[in-house]
Amino acid sequence: MALDARKEVGAREVAIVVMPLLTLLASAGLLFRSLPALESSRRDDLMKAVKPPHSLDDVNLLRQVLTDYSDGNAVVVAALISNIYILMLSFAIPGATTLSFVAGAVFGAYRATALIAFSITAGASLCYLVSLCFGRALATWIWPVKVRTFRKEVAKRRGNLLHYMLFLRLTPFVPNTFVNVVSPVVDIPFHVFALATCVGTLPQNFITAQMGLKLATVASFAELYDWRVIAFGVVAGAVILVPTFLGAEAGKSLKDMDVAKDDDDDDDDDEVEVVVGGKRGNKYE
């Protein structure tokens, strides 16, 4: 199926969106059931921790329980975190960032970054598809002015949407939830959206996973922030943006050259004169 945000959505497309969501819900239940039984007190801690909003105490409770589980069930715990992460992003439920902290604490920065990158890309992509099928009118009703403004910005950058989407993912100016929901509404192609999401969120994913390593030693979320890690994220973001910016400029220059060449060819056809038999005239006369 070619995913085109500008086409009408039929029953087949709706089914393709709904089936993964139902599968995720069912698999979440199966993953919970596959974990070893908990003592009643630990089970209460787990259920308290997974209910938003997440305080630091709740996040640490979740970290402790999942760390204990991961000793012999690392794959199941990773699948469970990813499953919940994808579901939260699919339905634009706030609080997914806390799972990034927990993943970093349980699996370490590098493995957690890979897990988060997959989960964010899959969850954001499902959110895009849900919005494509069901959310156009709702998004326009909730953010009428913002949607119009975003549509104009996308239209101006239609020839280089990947660079623009990477910029949105790498900078904090536009909330990711808004981008996920509104992208199909303003006709951003799915492949551009998915690629920009996967690549553009990598620095943020690493930062949050690295912060998760400090969960057990801090008294507030503010203490998780480390200027060295944030500086690394900024540099990594710049490294991602610079090649796309240079590519965009090169593409623009080539396009301008093609336009100029076409103009020159038109001028030659219209204005070049030749001398035939001592007379001057247009070369086609």
Side-chain angles (χ1 to χ4, degrees), residues 104-149:
V106 175
F107 297 108
Y110 297 106
R111 286 188 297 173
T113 298
L115 178 66
I116 298 165
F118 168 78
S119 303
I120 283 183
T121 303
S125 297
L126 275 174
C127 184
Y128 176 105
L129 296 176
V130 170
S131 181
L132 176 65
C133 292
F134 310 111
R136 288 176 177 268
L138 181 61
T140 305
W141 178 69
I142 295 174
W143 303 295
V145 176
K146 290 182 178 179
V147 169
R148 286 197 298 270
T149 302

Side-chain angles (χ1 to χ4, degrees), residues 24 77-90 96 99-100 103 111-127 180 197-198 201 205:
L24 284 168
V77 170
L80 183 60
I81 291 175
S82 180
N83 193 295
I84 296 174
Y85 210 126
I86 293 170
L87 283 171
M88 292 180 74
L89 289 182
S90 299
L99 289 178
S100 299
R111 286 188 297 173
T113 298
L115 178 66
I116 298 165
F118 168 78
S119 303
I120 283 183
T121 303
S125 297
L126 275 174
C127 184
N180 295 345
T197 301
C198 181
T201 59
N205 298 341

Side-chain angles (χ1 to χ4, degrees), residues 34-36 65-78 106-107:
S34 68
L35 290 171
V65 173
L66 293 182
T67 299
D68 292 343
Y69 263 138
S70 67
D71 289 340
N73 306 275
V75 174
V76 176
V77 170
V106 175
F107 297 108

